Amino acid sequence: MTLPLIGILRGVKPDEAVDIAREVLEAGITQIEVPLNSPDPFTSISLLVEAFGERAVIGAGTVLIPEQVREVYDAGGRLIVSPNCRPSVIEETRRLGMASWPGIVTPSEAFDAIDAGATGLKLFPAVQVGLEGMKAVRAVLPSGTLLYAVGGVGVDNFTAWRAAGVDGAGLGSALYKPGQTPAEVGRQAKALVAAWEAGAQA
């Protein structure tokens, strides 16, 4: 079963993207985004799709305008993650048959995203909203709405976030920081997956 985790490789370079992503995939994380404020992100996305497109969903983060959605699509990406809720970005993503994860904090943003056709919602930054704030948002969402926590979630607090009601998480600096080796990222990925799975039994 695919884990409800998105690996965020912010700052990754094309010449290291495949080796780092391989470690992430081997740990069991099969959704990977390359934020568009990384060096030459479309090249990295193309390389990752070529290497792992059969076994992973590859895409982009920090997608802010519809034109970027089309560029990601042309590079082979099929996952669009944003820090904000912009209906035009969501609508273009869904028109192209891609998965859409816009960033939300408030119920207003959440319902705007749902109305535009979002695949799921990215609660960002989760550390700012906190567990109680997340539960208040979760309480008003339609049944079945997927809510992923991003920003400040990881090994130390997965259990609490899962117990409070999130469906998944995006993993940023806890998974990868620029300059880390593939082996380091692999160890962090395995620890994160183990912690997430442990949270299910808590």
Side-chain angles (χ1 to χ4, degrees):
M1 186 181 81
T2 299
L3 292 171
L5 301 172
I6 298 175
I8 303 167
L9 304 184
R10 186 177 307 280
V12 75
K13 298 175 182 176
D15 62 359
E16 62 187 357
V18 169
D19 288 340
I20 287 171
R22 182 178 291 109
E23 295 288 339
V24 173
L25 285 169
E26 288 179 1
I29 299 168
T30 58
Q31 301 177 91
I32 296 176
E33 64 159 278
V34 177
L36 293 187
N37 56 0
S38 304
D40 199 1
F42 297 108
T43 298
S44 291
I45 291 167
S46 295
L47 290 169
L48 292 177
V49 170
E50 182 180 353
F52 307 118
E54 300 285 318
R55 52 189 280 225
V57 179
I58 307 297
T62 318
V63 179
L64 304 177
I65 57 176
E67 288 79 4
Q68 292 173 330
V69 175
R70 292 190 285 273
E71 288 184 275
V72 174
Y73 182 85
D74 290 343
R78 295 297 179 263
L79 171 70
I80 297 292
V81 184
S82 299
N84 59 343
C85 174
R86 184 162 289 175
S88 61
V89 170
I90 300 167
E91 289 162 0
E92 183 66 0
T93 301
R94 300 304 284 158
R95 185 185 73 80
L96 292 170
M98 305 162 76
S100 169
W101 290 87
I104 66 99
V105 168
T106 67
S108 293
E109 292 169 336
F111 282 99
D112 284 347
I114 292 166
D115 289 346
T119 305
L121 307 177
K122 166 187 168 178
L123 185 71
F124 176 79
V127 68
Q128 173 188 327
V129 178
L131 292 171
E132 294 305 315
M134 184 280 292
K135 286 191 281 188
V137 172
R138 167 104 268 176
V140 300
L141 296 177
S143 177
T145 302
L146 296 174
L147 182 65
Y148 280 26
V150 183
V153 297
V155 169
D156 296 334
N157 57 17
F158 269 157
T159 298
W161 280 99
R162 293 196 73 174
V166 297
D167 300 295
L171 307 172
S173 59
L175 174 68
Y176 168 77
K177 296 185 185 75
Q180 291 184 325
T181 67
E184 288 174 313
V185 177
R187 286 192 293 273
Q188 289 159 187
K190 290 181 175 70
L192 287 160
V193 167
W196 178 261
E197 292 178 332
Q201 279 84 49

